Amino acid sequence: MDINEKVVTADGVRSAAKRIAGHALRTPLMENEFLNDAAGGRVLIKAEVLQHCGSFKYRGAFNLISQLSDGERKKGVLAWSSGNHAQGVARAARYFDMPATIVMPTDAPALKVEKVRAFGAEIIEYDRYSEDREAIARPIQEERGMALAPSYDHPHIIEGQGTLALETVEDARALGADLDAFVICCGGGGLTSGCATILDEVSPRTDVWISEPEGFDEAWASIRDGERRHADITQRTICDAIATPTPGKLTLPIMQRLVKGGVTVTEDDVGRAMVFAFKHLKLVVEPGGAVALAAILSQKFDGRGKTTAITLSGGNVDPPLFASILEQHG
Amino acid sequence: MDINEKVVTADGVRSAAKRIAGHALRTPLMENEFLNDAAGGRVLIKAEVLQHCGSFKYRGAFNLISQLSDGERKKGVLAWSSGNHAQGVARAARYFDMPATIVMPTDAPALKVEKVRAFGAEIIEYDRYSEDREAIARPIQEERGMALAPSYDHPHIIEGQGTLALETVEDARALGADLDAFVICCGGGGLTSGCATILDEVSPRTDVWISEPEGFDEAWASIRDGERRHADITQRTICDAIATPTPGKLTLPIMQRLVKGGVTVTEDDVGRAMVFAFKHLKLVVEPGGAVALAAILSQKFDGRGKTTAITLSGGNVDPPLFASILEQHG
């Protein structure tokens, strides 16, 4: 069966949860009184910045790579990514003692490049404003016979990333909380479609919302309009992790079926959310990982009277950018 | 019995653990491969920056205030502190619906002042370079009949703070780790003496070490020399949280009996440790809360071949200072 014909299922997310247990971390679900006050409701924070490699991407990468055959592992794995998925793939490949090649933009955050290198992966750089990463990556992949680890549009990636919502629902219930809504930082939709798939089964009354940055809010536009929309990826943005051109072939239909609403936040909203996390949560959150928090703090998502879970989905941000955001919004 | 004649015991720490359960958080014990590599051993990180109010101080404050009588609660509680203990006392007092008055230096970090105020406490400011905080606080306390919540030199504070080590040992064992050493950020010695007391019973083979900043390393000097040493508290330091003049009457004898060694770190060591926590742990750590991490990263504490636990004891740092540290060491 072609992998792209495999359907993403809640059972697939449950199997992924078993596969990653003991490898990915069960990150804490936090609550903060200042955030509850600001939201006018109860907010549960999935602190995924504390995951290995500082983002949820390790869940999907480990779930995919752990299912490769011995023969595939010998040939290695290739991925393209601005850096969070790259780190996840590089670390999982190192765990399985296999080669990894990552195609990364020349303007990827230095911290992300440094960590991919520390995990021993080969890095191939490209200019994301003038070059097509897929056109660079495909010949290398084919020549070496490497497995491809897409950053979102693959059932094993989506199911692995969806484990985040399974943990969130379980841990929320342990706190006596039943989620009215789940607000997710959205790029290509891997995390969103995986989370939405499992939520639909284990917590069907929870509304799934996505948050995106201005200029890169093509996922909600595509869902809302019922047809694929594209972002201009030559635009500059601080939210590199979710500056995706368009939702995936697999992720879009799932999101169309299961996502209830979308919010677009500005870079100022994002900066203020990062400073809030710094001051009150003591967590370092990167811009792309702060858009769900920005949605609730800016009240563009209305959390009043609700119990809402949000993802803090990544924390890999370069010191100079973080310093300038602290200076501007601190 | 005079409270100061009450002996600090491991049973007292266990009772405190029961008292604070469900009120203070059981903060995660983290591990990071980059830190293990840098240390040349295994390092378990007690991420106490994620505690309520961003530091371990809430443990002691809650343990003390929860033991006050109804009559005492009506009259309220008074404390002096540069801000972490202040927040702990203010939050615990709010929980028990009682007044709190905090005497804080005029140059306390703005974030600390802001959060003490947010918890509804009255703040009285003093100039720490020219005024004696105790001389300001005592008449107010006596006039109003308020209970005193010392920041370290009180059995209930020490026992409450010691719960941090009890959790650390339990969670380390769940990971299959037996601690060779425990390195603690040390100011007046409340956290150290509470942790050392419980460690001596539940993990007697664990060596207790303290880390202090240059210029404020009077605790280890006092232990080493067998007589009380004093720091010049008019010196400027970024480590406001642990810029204490001298160890406590209760804490010093405990530390003399149970502390194995001391390390002095520089402000550069501290800045590098804060940047390490930013990059690799995604945690915001304040200077005074980063001295144990600084000890291990600078190799002034030798963690090679050992399993060492460290405290990240506080995370309340103002954005401009954090930005300047990122710029200098990032």
Side-chain angles (χ1 to χ4, degrees):
Chain A
M1 186 176 82
D2 185 321
I3 189 67
N4 288 314
E5 289 170 21
K6 181 174 179 289
V7 178
V8 173
T9 63
D11 274 346
V13 177
R14 283 197 194 87
S15 299
K18 290 194 190 101
R19 224 171 269 122
I20 69 172
H23 298 287
L25 301 173
R26 189 180 185 101
T27 50
L29 190 65
M30 293 169 49
E31 186 170 3
N32 180 274
E33 52 215 330
F34 295 101
L35 183 53
N36 288 348
D37 285 350
R42 186 174 191 185
V43 185
L44 299 175
I45 307 149
K46 183 62 168 167
E48 192 68 6
V49 299
L50 302 178
Q51 187 56 265
H52 292 309
C53 310
S55 89
F56 69 94
K57 293 287 190 177
Y58 192 63
R59 297 173 181 269
F62 192 93
N63 189 48
L64 182 142
I65 290 176
S66 65
Q67 293 181 73
L68 297 177
S69 68
D70 285 350
E72 288 172 313
R73 285 197 193 141
K74 280 205 187 92
K75 292 183 175 166
V77 62
L78 179 138
W80 49 83
S81 155
S82 85
N84 281 337
H85 179 60
Q87 287 174 71
V89 169
R91 189 179 194 273
R94 191 187 63 168
Y95 179 83
F96 288 105
D97 198 20
M98 60 187 282
T101 298
I102 316 285
V103 180
M104 293 184 80
T106 47
D107 65 347
L111 178 60
K112 293 180 177 179
V113 177
E114 175 192 319
K115 286 169 73 182
V116 169
R117 195 162 283 135
F119 290 121
E122 175 192 22
I123 295 173
I124 295 172
E125 292 195 342
Y126 77 100
D127 181 326
R128 74 180 183 89
Y129 304 103
S130 66
E131 294 182 290
D132 175 2
R133 62 187 182 179
E134 210 166 326
I136 292 169
R138 287 281 185 192
I140 300 166
Q141 183 216 346
E142 280 160 24
E143 185 192 321
R144 301 184 190 176
M146 296 179 112
L148 189 67
S151 59
Y152 50 89
D153 218 25
H154 187 293
H156 297 166
I157 295 289
I158 295 169
E159 288 171 346
Q161 296 178 351
T163 58
L164 181 148
L166 184 58
E167 291 174 13
T168 303
V169 168
E170 289 170 354
D171 291 351
R173 287 191 177 146
L175 295 172
D178 195 25
L179 302 178
D180 298 309
F182 199 118
V183 186
I184 302 174
C185 304
C186 188
L191 178 62
T192 302
S193 54
C195 289
T197 299
I198 188 73
L199 286 169
D200 188 43
E201 191 169 302
V202 300
S203 189
R205 63 173 293 278
T206 303
D207 291 336
V208 177
W209 282 68
I210 60 172
S211 183
E212 295 175 284
E214 224 169 18
F216 288 90
D217 50 358
E218 79 295 342
W220 175 242
S222 303
I223 298 165
R224 183 195 58 209
D225 298 348
E227 57 181 292
R228 183 177 303 281
R229 300 293 183 196
H230 291 81
D232 169 10
I233 59 163
T234 64
Q235 294 172 90
R236 306 277 158 177
T237 173
I238 58 172
C239 298
D240 62 282
I242 53 175
T244 38
T246 191
K249 290 190 184 72
L250 294 179
T251 60
L252 182 55
I254 298 171
M255 292 197 289
Q256 282 174 317
R257 190 161 51 85
L258 298 173
V259 171
K260 170 97 173 181
V263 166
T264 301
V265 294
T266 66
E267 295 208 343
D268 278 351
D269 294 332
V270 169
R272 281 189 286 265
M274 290 169 68
V275 170
F276 184 94
F278 168 88
K279 280 187 174 178
H280 295 294
L281 309 179
K282 312 305 172 195
L283 294 175
V284 177
V285 190
E286 68 181 277
V291 293
L293 178 60
I296 206 153
L297 279 174
S298 67
Q299 304 193 317
K300 289 175 182 173
F301 172 81
D302 184 0
R304 283 175 300 172
K306 294 178 193 152
T307 297
T308 305
I310 61 169
T311 62
L312 292 186
S313 45
N316 290 302
V317 48
D318 281 342
L321 175 59
F322 200 84
S324 79
I325 285 169
L326 285 179
E327 277 155 11
Q328 198 180 341
H329 300 284
Chain B
M1 187 177 82
D2 186 322
I3 189 67
N4 288 314
E5 289 169 21
K6 183 175 178 289
V7 179
V8 173
T9 64
D11 275 346
V13 177
R14 284 198 193 87
S15 299
K18 290 193 190 103
R19 223 170 269 123
I20 70 172
H23 298 286
L25 300 173
R26 189 179 185 101
T27 51
L29 190 66
M30 293 171 50
E31 187 170 2
N32 180 273
E33 52 216 329
F34 296 100
L35 182 54
N36 287 348
D37 286 351
R42 185 173 192 187
V43 186
L44 299 174
I45 307 149
K46 183 61 169 169
E48 192 68 6
V49 299
L50 302 178
Q51 186 55 266
H52 292 309
C53 311
S55 89
F56 69 95
K57 292 288 190 176
Y58 192 62
R59 298 172 182 268
F62 192 92
N63 189 48
L64 182 142
I65 291 176
S66 65
Q67 293 181 73
L68 296 177
S69 67
D70 286 350
E72 287 171 314
R73 283 195 195 142
K74 280 204 186 92
K75 291 182 176 166
V77 61
L78 180 139
W80 49 84
S81 156
S82 86
N84 282 335
H85 178 60
Q87 287 175 70
V89 169
R91 188 179 193 274
R94 192 188 62 169
Y95 179 82
F96 288 105
D97 197 20
M98 60 189 281
T101 297
I102 316 285
V103 179
M104 295 183 79
T106 47
D107 66 347
L111 177 61
K112 293 179 177 178
V113 177
E114 177 191 318
K115 287 169 71 184
V116 169
R117 195 163 281 135
F119 290 121
E122 175 193 21
I123 295 174
I124 295 172
E125 292 194 341
Y126 76 101
D127 182 329
R128 73 181 183 90
Y129 304 103
S130 66
E131 294 181 290
D132 175 1
R133 62 187 182 179
E134 212 167 324
I136 291 169
R138 287 285 184 189
I140 299 166
Q141 183 217 345
E142 280 161 23
E143 186 193 319
R144 301 184 189 176
M146 295 178 114
L148 189 67
S151 57
Y152 50 89
D153 218 25
H154 186 294
H156 297 167
I157 295 290
I158 295 169
E159 288 171 347
Q161 295 178 352
T163 59
L164 182 148
L166 184 59
E167 291 174 12
T168 303
V169 169
E170 289 170 355
D171 291 351
R173 287 190 178 146
L175 296 171
D178 195 25
L179 302 178
D180 298 309
F182 199 117
V183 186
I184 302 174
C185 303
C186 188
L191 178 62
T192 302
S193 54
C195 289
T197 298
I198 188 74
L199 287 169
D200 188 44
E201 192 169 302
V202 301
S203 189
R205 64 173 292 279
T206 303
D207 290 336
V208 177
W209 282 67
I210 60 173
S211 183
E212 296 174 284
E214 225 169 17
F216 288 89
D217 50 358
E218 81 294 342
W220 175 241
S222 303
I223 298 165
R224 183 195 58 209
D225 299 347
E227 58 180 292
R228 182 176 304 282
R229 299 294 183 197
H230 291 80
D232 169 10
I233 59 164
T234 64
Q235 294 172 90
R236 306 278 158 178
T237 173
I238 58 172
C239 299
D240 62 282
I242 53 175
T244 38
T246 192
K249 289 188 185 73
L250 294 179
T251 62
L252 182 54
I254 298 171
M255 293 197 287
Q256 282 175 319
R257 191 160 51 85
L258 298 173
V259 171
K260 170 98 172 182
V263 166
T264 300
V265 295
T266 66
E267 295 209 341
D268 278 351
D269 294 332
V270 169
R272 282 190 286 265
M274 290 169 69
V275 170
F276 184 95
F278 169 88
K279 280 187 173 178
H280 295 293
L281 308 179
K282 312 306 174 193
L283 294 176
V284 177
V285 190
E286 67 181 277
V291 293
L293 178 61
I296 206 152
L297 280 173
S298 67
Q299 305 193 315
K300 290 176 182 172
F301 172 82
D302 183 0
R304 284 175 301 172
K306 294 179 193 152
T307 297
T308 305
I310 61 169
T311 61
L312 292 186
S313 46
N316 291 302
V317 48
D318 281 343
L321 175 59
F322 200 84
S324 79
I325 286 169
L326 286 179
E327 278 154 11
Q328 197 180 343
H329 300 285

